[in-house]
Amino acid sequence: MFDLSTFRSENPSLTLTLVSKCFDDLCSHSQTDNQTTSMYVARSVAQDVLNKHGVRAEKLLDACTVNGDVLYSPTLVALLQAAASGEKKVFALIIVDVQNDFITGSLAVSEGEMVVPVINKMGPHFTHIYKTADWHPTDHISFHSNVKKCIHATSARSNVKGADSEMFQTVIVCGPPELKQTLWPDHCIQGSFGAEFHKDLKTFPNEVRVNKGMKTTVDSYSGFWDNGDTSHTPLYNMLLSNGVTDVVVCGIATDFCVGFTALDAARHGFRTVVVNEAIRGVMPDTSAGMVARCKAAGVEFVSSASIPDLVKEKDVSGAVDRIFKVKKHFTVVDINANQQYTPPVN
């Protein structure tokens, strides 16, 4: 549980925001109450701060309390701030793995090049743009060549052993962590042509590159987390630092890196939108399965034609409802302030 007494010292950049002011007030009360804050105190303090902004304090505090203790996460604070202040939404475009190897190279996806002009047209509508990229070492665990040579051991629980494995089969690797792993051709090796972004993908002045898949022993489909939830990229913190409330996801491939990036964005509380014409998948059946999984998690799928109007939206009334949807993920969450992060169970 987040220690309210440390809020001011560990998060000075947040203390000027409306909701952080509320938490700051709660800190001063908790210091006289043995570091605990009852639901009654939380509500009464918050009432003065939030009522003037037309927000129902009780609902907001219910969203960020469990058994009377106030939880903390930067995403939660951002959503509360947006809901309380009525500020304009902040959108970010996440372009997933539009790299040569996924378009014309060793792991080319059918019609992968078709996403490029759609993304190029959408880009100018966004202030914040993040391009994720597979950036694998030569001995990466996802490469069939490495598992076949037993550079990475397969688990005793794996039905297929490394020496007997075939390309595109799924094995259980020892890692660590021990995980199921699809075996791919060598791809997106650090410094290679295949790891470069496609030549026709525009370079936007405000873009930031986010490398992933750099750990030898675990793959990373998502732009946020590796497949074992053991380490994270800077993407989550960068979105938070820019006050992003909504993310638009596109790129390659629907059934793997696009899908898992969208799922992680949604589980971290961001409104998440995927653009239909700007994604392509490895296989139709697994792509359809991932789309269904994303929709079940609250991810929206829209046409690229809707993007210009979408990014002009100002209504943040859905922010509080999203807090309730992701609330269970925030019992110990703050990967930005040296606290242990326990990933939610999928």
Side-chain angles (χ1 to χ4, degrees), residues 254-284:
T254 308
D255 33 354
F256 291 95
C257 297
V258 169
F260 283 103
T261 297
L263 287 170
D264 274 351
R267 73 169 175 165
H268 282 309
F270 300 104
R271 179 201 177 186
T272 305
V273 176
V274 175
V275 182
N276 292 321
E277 304 95 316
I279 57 174
R280 290 296 187 277
V282 176
M283 296 181 20

Side-chain angles (χ1 to χ4, degrees), residues 29-90:
H29 280 260
S30 69
Q31 289 171 358
T32 62
D33 190 24
N34 197 27
Q35 308 305 329
T36 62
T37 304
S38 68
M39 181 74 80
Y40 173 78
V41 173
R43 285 176 176 166
S44 63
V45 173
Q47 199 77 40
D48 293 337
V49 178
L50 297 178
N51 264 2
K52 67 182 69 174
H53 296 274
V55 176
R56 191 156 64 92
E58 181 175 350
K59 186 173 184 181
L60 289 177
L61 266 297
D62 278 348
C64 61
T65 53
V66 169
N67 298 327
D69 292 318
V70 177
L71 309 178
Y72 175 79
S73 94
T75 307
L76 185 62
V77 170
L79 288 175
L80 288 170
Q81 181 187 6
S85 67
E87 291 179 354
K88 183 179 178 181
K89 290 182 177 182
V90 178

Side-chain angles (χ1 to χ4, degrees), residues 126-317:
F126 292 86
T127 302
H128 307 288
I129 298 177
Y130 303 90
K131 288 181 177 176
T132 73
D134 270 7
W135 193 244
H136 297 316
T138 56
D139 58 348
H140 195 249
I141 200 165
S142 72
F143 297 169
H144 173 249
S145 61
N146 290 329
V147 175
K148 184 79 171 179
K149 297 172 187 174
C150 298
I151 293 175
H152 296 285
T154 50
S155 167
R157 300 190 302 113
S158 183
N159 292 328
V160 178
K161 302 308 176 185
D164 301 322
S165 64
E166 301 292 338
M167 191 80 73
F168 304 117
Q169 281 187 313
T170 298
V171 299
I172 300 176
V173 291
C174 291
E178 186 177 276
L179 291 170
K180 288 184 178 180
Q181 175 65 56
T182 301
L183 301 178
W184 304 107
D186 292 17
H187 64 279
C188 298
I189 294 173
Q190 295 174 7
S192 69
F193 173 77
E196 294 177 8
F197 294 125
H198 189 270
K199 62 180 178 60
D200 294 332
L201 182 65
K202 287 184 178 178
T203 299
F204 301 98
N206 50 332
E207 72 178 44
V208 177
R209 179 177 176 131
V210 180
N211 289 331
K212 60 187 180 70
M214 294 178 286
K215 290 181 66 175
T216 297
T217 60
V218 61
D219 207 356
S220 298
Y221 293 150
S222 170
F224 292 88
W225 289 91
D226 67 46
N227 292 2
D229 278 332
T230 62
S231 63
H232 58 84
T233 72
L235 180 56
Y236 178 62
N237 288 332
M238 289 190 291
L239 293 172
L240 292 175
S241 66
N242 286 311
V244 171
T245 58
D246 298 49
V247 299
V248 175
V249 182
C250 58
I252 303 170
T254 308
D255 33 354
F256 291 95
C257 297
V258 169
F260 283 103
T261 297
L263 287 170
D264 274 351
R267 73 169 175 165
H268 282 309
F270 300 104
R271 179 201 177 186
T272 305
V273 176
V274 175
V275 182
N276 292 321
E277 304 95 316
I279 57 174
R280 290 296 187 277
V282 176
M283 296 181 20
D285 56 343
T286 51
S287 294
M290 178 58 80
V291 169
R293 183 176 173 184
C294 286
K295 288 181 177 179
V299 177
E300 303 169 44
F301 286 76
V302 303
S303 165
S304 62
S306 68
I307 295 301
D309 289 333
L310 181 75
V311 298
K312 295 176 184 177
E313 289 182 3
K314 297 182 179 181
D315 180 18
V316 293
S317 61

Side-chain angles (χ1 to χ4, degrees), residues 95-98 103 109-122 198 201 250-252 254 275-281:
I95 304 170
V96 179
D97 298 5
V98 183
I103 296 178
V109 171
S110 178
E111 297 185 343
E113 71 281 358
M114 300 297 289
V115 307
V116 175
V118 182
I119 295 171
N120 287 343
K121 188 174 181 179
M122 291 193 299
H198 189 270
L201 182 65
C250 58
I252 303 170
T254 308
V275 182
N276 292 321
E277 304 95 316
I279 57 174
R280 290 296 187 277

